[in-house]
Amino acid sequence: MTHSQYKCQVQGKESFIDNLFVIFSQSYLINKVHEYHKEKGHDNKNRVKLLELGCYNGRVMHFMTQQMLFVSYTGVDVTQKYLAHSPVQRRKDVTLLCEDVTKGLSIPDGSQDMIISSEVLEHINPEDLPAVIQTLYDKVKIGGRICVAFPMNTQAKMYHSLEKEKGLGHVNFPVYEDFIELCENIGFVFNNYDSGFTLKSSYRIPSYKDPLYKKIRERVGSPVARAMWMIIDDNHTGGGYFTFDKLKK
């Protein structure tokens, strides 16, 4: 989250499109935690140990508790003032850490069942990204999973420009193919990729005359229709969610 987005939130001036983005992005991550929870046979007594990188104020945990999904949650963010306003900071099943992932994390290696992160990796300098992915690999246990989301480019198309988005603090748009190769070289096994809603993408609706798209647009407006189309389109949209597993070699 950028400084301007934070100011809007604390001043009660959230934009419609920012809130829409949060709804779509956080819902996806929560659903992935649900899937892992069921797949591995966890319950509220045997909770998923979940690490969120770039957790803002721990709102994902707050949302999950409202859905009766309980985990042992560790939220990490580099900005202390975000953590200071956390709605979950007093929970016994929550640990909030102000740490810079590029300098390593104090969490024990192999301690996390799952790691999630949204809109963080584009703020990591390219030369630091391999070490960050290695850190995530080290922290997740064998049989664990990571799900990371960020705006991206592909080898075939540039959806994002650093020059145009530097005001958002973006310093790196990993290339889809290169990112998969990086994660696999470190030891992760690629699970799947899903397209996602990304605010500044140059993505255009492939067929704005599609009856379903037109119906959605007429019912809820163009911003929502575009966002929904980006998450149901199986093609690249300039943003998305990667899921990787850490399996025994």
Side-chain angles (χ1 to χ4, degrees):
M1 173 170 292
T2 67
H3 179 64
S4 61
Q5 287 174 314
Y6 172 78
K7 285 178 65 179
C8 285
Q9 291 218 356
V10 297
Q11 294 174 3
K13 299 179 181 178
E14 303 95 326
S15 73
F16 173 79
I17 200 71
D18 282 341
N19 278 326
L20 188 65
F21 175 76
V22 169
I23 290 170
F24 280 112
S25 63
Q26 308 306 315
S27 293
Y28 185 95
L29 294 178
I30 292 170
N31 285 337
K32 280 297 179 181
V33 177
H34 267 292
E35 290 177 10
Y36 185 87
H37 186 273
K38 293 180 180 179
E39 178 183 326
K40 300 298 182 179
H42 287 274
D43 53 36
N44 288 340
K45 293 183 179 180
N46 177 29
R47 297 187 178 190
V48 171
K49 293 182 179 179
L50 178 69
L51 168 66
E52 183 182 9
L53 179 65
C55 68
Y56 179 46
N57 66 355
R59 61 187 171 195
V60 163
M61 179 61 176
H62 185 53
F63 296 156
M64 286 192 296
T65 59
Q66 294 174 12
Q67 297 185 29
M68 303 304 291
L69 173 62
F70 298 101
V71 300
S72 294
Y73 177 87
T74 300
V76 176
D77 203 284
V78 72
T79 306
Q80 180 61 45
K81 63 183 177 182
Y82 297 165
L83 302 177
H85 292 86
S86 174
V88 296
Q89 60 181 313
R90 298 185 183 278
R91 291 185 61 94
K92 294 181 179 180
D93 51 3
V94 168
T95 300
L96 299 177
L97 301 174
C98 184
E99 296 184 354
D100 183 349
V101 67
T102 64
K103 299 177 181 178
L105 298 177
S106 62
I107 302 155
D109 289 351
S111 63
Q112 302 301 304
D113 293 302
M114 190 172 185
I115 298 175
I116 59 174
S117 181
S118 178
E119 305 304 302
V120 173
L121 298 187
E122 71 272 23
H123 298 277
I124 303 295
N125 289 316
E127 61 271 22
D128 294 327
L129 185 59
V132 168
I133 300 303
Q134 181 67 60
T135 295
L136 300 187
Y137 183 84
D138 292 341
K139 301 309 174 183
V140 75
K141 70 176 188 180
I142 298 294
R145 179 169 296 163
I146 71 167
C147 182
V148 294
F150 51 87
M152 74 187 75
N153 292 321
T154 70
Q155 291 179 354
K157 185 173 181 179
M158 187 174 75
Y159 292 90
H160 298 271
S161 167
L162 287 175
E163 182 62 28
K164 292 180 180 180
E165 299 188 37
K166 62 182 180 181
L168 298 176
H170 295 169
V171 297
N172 180 28
F173 294 121
V175 172
Y176 170 87
E177 296 87 351
D178 295 345
F179 183 72
I180 293 177
E181 182 178 5
L182 168 63
C183 292
E184 290 182 332
N185 286 342
I186 286 174
F188 281 117
V189 175
F190 178 63
N191 184 310
N192 78 294
Y193 165 83
D194 286 314
S195 64
F197 177 29
T198 181
L199 290 173
K200 298 293 184 178
S201 174
S202 63
Y203 167 86
R204 295 293 181 266
I205 303 300
S207 179
Y208 65 90
K209 294 183 179 179
D210 184 287
L212 178 59
Y213 175 75
K214 291 177 67 177
K215 184 174 183 179
I216 297 172
R217 185 183 61 191
E218 290 169 359
R219 298 290 178 86
V220 295
S222 295
V224 178
R226 181 175 186 271
M228 293 183 69
W229 212 259
M230 292 178 83
I231 64 174
I232 64 173
D233 191 342
D234 290 331
N235 297 311
H236 284 286
T237 62
Y241 303 85
F242 292 88
T243 302
F244 293 91
D245 293 323
K246 181 177 179 179
L247 305 178
K248 293 181 179 180
K249 295 182 178 180

